[in-house]
Amino acid sequence: MSGNERPRLLGAAVDEELARALGRVVESVDGGKVADGIPELADVDPDRFGVSVASVLGRVYGAGDTGVGFTIQSASKPFVYAFACETVGTDAVHRSVGVEPSGEPFNAISLDELGRPENPFINAGAIVTTSLVPAADAEERFSRIHEALSRFAGRELDVDEEVYTSEADTGHRNRALAGLALAAGSLATDDVDSATDPYFRQCSLIVTTEDLALMGATLANGGVHPLTRDRVVGERAARDTLSVMATCGMYDRSGSWAFRVGMPAKSGVGGGIVAVRPGEFGVGVFSPPLDEAGNSLRGVAMLEELSARFGLHMFDHLRVPASPVGSATVDEETRSVTLELRGELDFLAAEQVVHDAGRLVEHVDARTLRLDFDDVTYVSEVAERLLRATAAAAEEAGLDVQFPGAPEGIDPGIR
């Protein structure tokens, strides 16, 4: 077997697992209704069904209709929100839009006590978020949003002009929502059309399940596209976006979604859903028939299936990680203790290091503690602070603390 075949064998195994899950959903879930509020969407083939998974390492897997294009619709909202936060700052965004679940349908009139839409994923909040993207006019605003969402996907996305025209011709309620936001002082422009026209266009961008999976993986990867390595948004914007997706992404079904599936997600009436396992991968699902809340019926079932079978719920019990201490050496003659550390040091790992080191130092009455970082790949900020504070306390107690091989991310002050 050649080295080039091994990744494909792994990919085939993942594809087969996804295909089996897709088949189970097809057999067990039927019904739903294709969106007809936008006339052009009513003609979509209801039998289309696909799923893609993209890891933060840049590997993409899929089953079913993964190459079929469909309009992104409201699944665009998290990415426009992330772009707005990155462009004007999270605080500026939230002076105009809240982060609370509305508990109401996506097109509800929902303003809080400050005159803000409840969150950026209901239509009123999404239109306000779109308006916050700095631009001289509607054309420039959409151009900036188009470029940002294309970077999230890793390729230039096209607009379905027929869907856009259909949305613009029938978007009276959305214009009314924009007018209410303008009257309440939360719309960032005094021209309703300069907010709603880019909004209609962003919803009409054509994506595939693979595009959605890669867009989700970009958020999972802290804002860096796993294939192009383009930093689309910063880590703070990516984190904040996932937070709002976790609580507000599935409209008035967000609570039951968090309970059953437990992944940040966002749906669209075009039949797409993007879901994210932070730090690991993004998932894109497409199936046009919708449930009563406007979410893809089979898409929801597919993500429930994946979450249950593969343990993807964000509140699943995590097993105790491998010890960050690879080996411990005690030299009784020199009264020294050496711990060889490995892997990633986060809070839990640093806590374990401090505990093990303290126990050994006390046991041998050591004078010197050496924490060897040669096999450490990453040190989080909180781990760094904990180790630095421990070193300072140990040195005050008369112990010589050394950090051979400490990576560049460690403050030189603790070496």
Side-chain angles (χ1 to χ4, degrees):
M1 182 189 301
S2 72
N4 289 334
E5 287 176 310
R6 292 192 184 96
R8 184 57 245 159
L9 287 175
L10 173 61
V14 176
D15 291 345
E16 289 171 6
E17 286 291 336
L18 293 174
R20 280 193 284 270
L22 187 146
R24 286 190 291 268
V25 172
V26 168
E27 291 177 0
S28 62
V29 179
D30 196 13
K33 182 180 179 182
V34 174
D36 56 8
I38 301 168
E40 198 66 29
L41 296 184
D43 296 330
V44 175
D45 183 352
D47 294 326
R48 293 294 192 182
F49 191 13
V51 58
S52 295
V53 175
S55 78
V56 296
L57 300 178
R59 301 184 180 98
V60 182
Y61 313 96
D65 296 317
T66 58
V68 173
F70 56 94
T71 53
I72 190 170
Q73 298 298 327
S74 289
S76 65
K77 294 172 182 178
F79 306 102
V80 177
Y81 169 75
F83 179 54
C85 287
E86 184 69 17
T87 304
V88 302
T90 301
D91 291 342
V93 170
H94 291 296
R95 283 194 287 271
S96 296
V97 62
V99 291
E100 297 298 332
S102 69
E104 297 177 308
F106 62 89
N107 60 355
I109 299 171
S110 182
L111 300 179
D112 65 15
E113 65 277 5
L114 300 177
R116 304 174 305 174
E118 292 282 2
N119 66 69
F121 297 157
I122 55 175
N123 286 10
I127 292 167
V128 168
T129 303
T130 294
S131 78
L132 289 166
V133 175
D137 53 29
E139 183 177 353
E140 182 184 352
R141 181 165 288 114
F142 174 68
S143 178
R144 298 195 68 190
I145 290 171
H146 185 193
E147 179 186 13
L149 268 61
S150 294
R151 290 172 64 197
F152 269 111
R155 69 179 184 92
E156 185 170 357
L157 301 176
D158 295 324
V159 175
D160 187 320
E161 294 293 344
E162 292 181 348
V163 171
Y164 159 68
T165 299
S166 185
E167 293 212 31
D169 287 347
T170 59
H172 311 305
R173 186 178 181 89
N174 284 326
R175 292 189 183 89
L177 291 172
L180 287 172
L182 174 61
S186 56
L187 201 71
T189 172
D190 58 5
D191 177 9
V192 165
D193 287 338
S194 72
T196 55
D197 188 73
Y199 173 73
F200 295 143
R201 287 188 180 277
Q202 79 187 41
C203 291
S204 303
L205 289 169
I206 302 170
V207 294
T208 64
T209 58
E210 183 171 317
D211 291 326
L212 281 185
L214 284 166
M215 294 170 83
T218 301
L219 291 176
N221 200 33
V224 176
H225 193 282
L227 290 178
T228 66
R229 309 309 302 170
D230 177 21
R231 173 162 289 287
V232 184
V233 295
E235 291 186 7
R236 169 69 188 276
R239 185 203 71 182
D240 291 348
T241 300
L242 291 174
S243 298
V244 186
M245 289 173 72
T247 56
C248 306
M250 301 299 283
Y251 302 127
D252 47 338
R253 297 294 189 273
S254 292
S256 60
W257 175 270
F259 183 81
R260 297 195 315 271
V261 179
M263 285 193 287
K266 184 71 197 78
S267 61
V269 296
I273 302 176
V274 57
V276 179
R277 175 77 170 180
E280 297 187 24
F281 52 79
V283 184
V285 182
F286 171 56
S287 176
L290 309 178
D291 61 20
E292 298 86 354
N295 301 317
S296 169
L297 186 67
R298 281 180 168 172
V300 168
M302 182 68 183
L303 285 157
E304 288 180 348
E305 172 88 5
L306 295 179
S307 179
R309 288 186 174 268
F310 300 107
L312 305 182
H313 198 293
M314 58 187 171
F315 295 126
D316 277 341
H317 173 66
L318 299 178
R319 284 141 298 282
V320 176
S323 172
V325 179
S327 64
T329 304
V330 176
D331 189 326
E332 294 187 0
E333 183 177 345
T334 61
R335 295 170 65 183
S336 66
V337 171
T338 300
L339 300 184
E340 294 185 359
L341 310 183
R342 62 187 179 185
E344 297 187 357
L345 299 186
D346 55 11
F347 171 80
L348 189 61
E351 181 195 34
Q352 186 66 43
V353 169
V354 171
H355 172 79
D356 289 353
R359 182 170 51 82
L360 282 170
V361 165
E362 184 176 343
H363 178 71
V364 301
D365 190 25
R367 297 274 184 90
T368 302
L369 171 63
R370 301 176 74 253
L371 300 181
D372 190 329
F373 281 74
D374 281 343
D375 292 329
V376 170
T377 57
Y378 171 77
V379 184
S380 72
E381 184 178 349
V382 67
E384 178 184 340
R385 290 201 303 269
L386 182 57
L387 292 173
R388 187 164 56 241
T390 300
E395 288 175 347
E396 284 185 10
L399 194 67
D400 178 26
V401 183
Q402 301 172 9
F403 291 85
E408 291 298 323
I410 293 289
D411 188 312
I414 72 168
R415 293 186 184 182

